[in-house]
Amino acid sequence: MDATALASALGETGYAILRGALAPSLIAGIDRELEPDFRDTPFCEGSFYGDTTKRFGRLLTRSQGVAALVSHPLILAAVEQLLLPWCDCIQLNVAQAIAIHPGAPAQMPHRDQEMWRVPAGEAEYLVNVIWPLTPFTKENGATCVWPRSHGRHALAPEPSEASVAAEMEPGDALLFLGSTLHGAGANRSQSVRRGIVIGYSLGWLKPHENPWLAYPPAVARHFPRELAALVGYRQHRPNLGNFEGQCPSILLDGKGDQRLGAIDALLPEQTAMVDAYRAGQAG
């Protein structure tokens, strides 16, 4: 499956499962790296997250292998096809590990785009990817998705189709739109269900995880530049996400303590308009 076919499947059904997206050995290595965090992180509080569930973020600092999930080229290409009509560049919205323990009830069905007060059915704001660290089965609480509940169908009071349990093996990936109705299933097994959610959103939205606190310059300067840009070290034209009027990527080069002059960061059509106006003034 190429990026266009993957984006088309998401646009048609609201979700897609990419089988064998990464090697199971890589996923097993990530699971081992995160084991101390899964063990020591307290259970969540609140009925939505659930008091039989553990969640933690900052995954790019906790596991070297997570970068392969965040930077998966096929997934990034498909996400950009879906989101770039509404923004200049995409951003990492969240990188979070989740462990659902035995006895956990089903999560309330929801749409992740509801974290922002935006109109439903007009545009897509978010694409999430769930990577199982352990097998996902109906018995242990595999994520449930409602086919064709996305886009304009998000305005309907009830979904038109029954939910589907996204049963997967480590190495598979579940992609779904921010407007797709979904929720974790109940864990009726005797084992913990572990997974990672990687989310990508429009570059001008406030992300779920504060990227500059999760990955301050001292950390992000060790990332590949493309990954650092994805976690927030780039401007979003026109003129968003600045540091002293410049692209925040200068912080990765240790230039944050210098006096800096602001530099335009406009879209091409805006630059043309400004230049034409200035030329007219000069004339």
Side-chain angles (χ1 to χ4, degrees), residues 34-54:
L34 298 179
E35 171 59 36
D37 296 291
F38 278 120
R39 182 189 65 234
D40 298 337
T41 298
F43 284 100
C44 302
E45 297 181 22
S47 298
F48 180 71
Y49 284 150
D51 56 11
T52 49
T53 298
K54 294 186 177 185

Side-chain angles (χ1 to χ4, degrees), residues 18-27 30 65 68-70 72-73 131 170-173:
L18 194 60
R19 303 290 182 186
L22 285 173
S25 58
L26 172 66
I27 304 301
I30 294 172
L69 278 60
V70 173
H72 192 284
W131 297 87
D172 298 339

Side-chain angles (χ1 to χ4, degrees), residues 36-187:
D37 296 291
F38 278 120
R39 182 189 65 234
D40 298 337
T41 298
F43 284 100
C44 302
E45 297 181 22
S47 298
F48 180 71
Y49 284 150
D51 56 11
T52 49
T53 298
K54 294 186 177 185
R55 293 173 179 257
F56 53 87
R58 296 190 297 116
L59 297 190
L60 289 166
T61 66
R62 300 178 189 268
S63 165
Q64 291 186 342
V66 168
L69 278 60
V70 173
S71 301
H72 192 284
L74 173 59
I75 290 175
L76 280 177
V79 170
E80 288 182 341
Q81 287 192 33
L82 290 162
L83 298 186
L84 285 184
W86 312 104
C87 63
D88 185 49
C89 58
I90 64 170
Q91 66 179 342
L92 183 68
N93 183 60
V94 68
Q96 185 180 80
I98 303 173
I100 298 180
H101 284 244
Q107 187 183 34
M108 186 186 79
H110 61 284
R111 294 176 169 89
D112 285 336
Q113 73 176 22
E114 293 167 352
M115 72 178 76
W116 301 293
R117 299 292 296 272
V118 293
E122 296 182 13
E124 292 298 334
Y125 301 87
L126 172 71
V127 179
N128 276 338
V129 186
I130 293 181
W131 297 87
L133 296 176
T134 60
F136 274 32
T137 68
K138 185 178 293 186
E139 184 183 13
N140 73 8
T143 303
C144 295
V145 290
W146 277 259
R148 283 168 280 275
S149 61
H150 64 295
R152 61 184 177 82
H153 300 292
L155 298 170
E158 296 290 339
S160 60
E161 299 185 37
S163 66
V164 174
E167 296 190 302
M168 299 183 287
E169 294 294 325
D172 298 339
L174 166 67
L175 290 80
F176 58 95
L177 301 177
S179 61
T180 300
L181 190 67
H182 70 284
N187 188 346

Side-chain angles (χ1 to χ4, degrees), residues 206-223:
K206 186 172 184 177
H208 173 86
E209 183 172 52
N210 188 310
W212 303 288
L213 294 179
Y215 311 111
V219 172
R221 66 171 51 106
H222 299 292
F223 292 169

Side-chain angles (χ1 to χ4, degrees), residues 264 270-283:
D264 282 346
Q270 294 171 321
T271 299
M273 290 173 59
V274 172
D275 289 347
Y277 180 79
R278 182 170 182 176
Q281 293 292 99

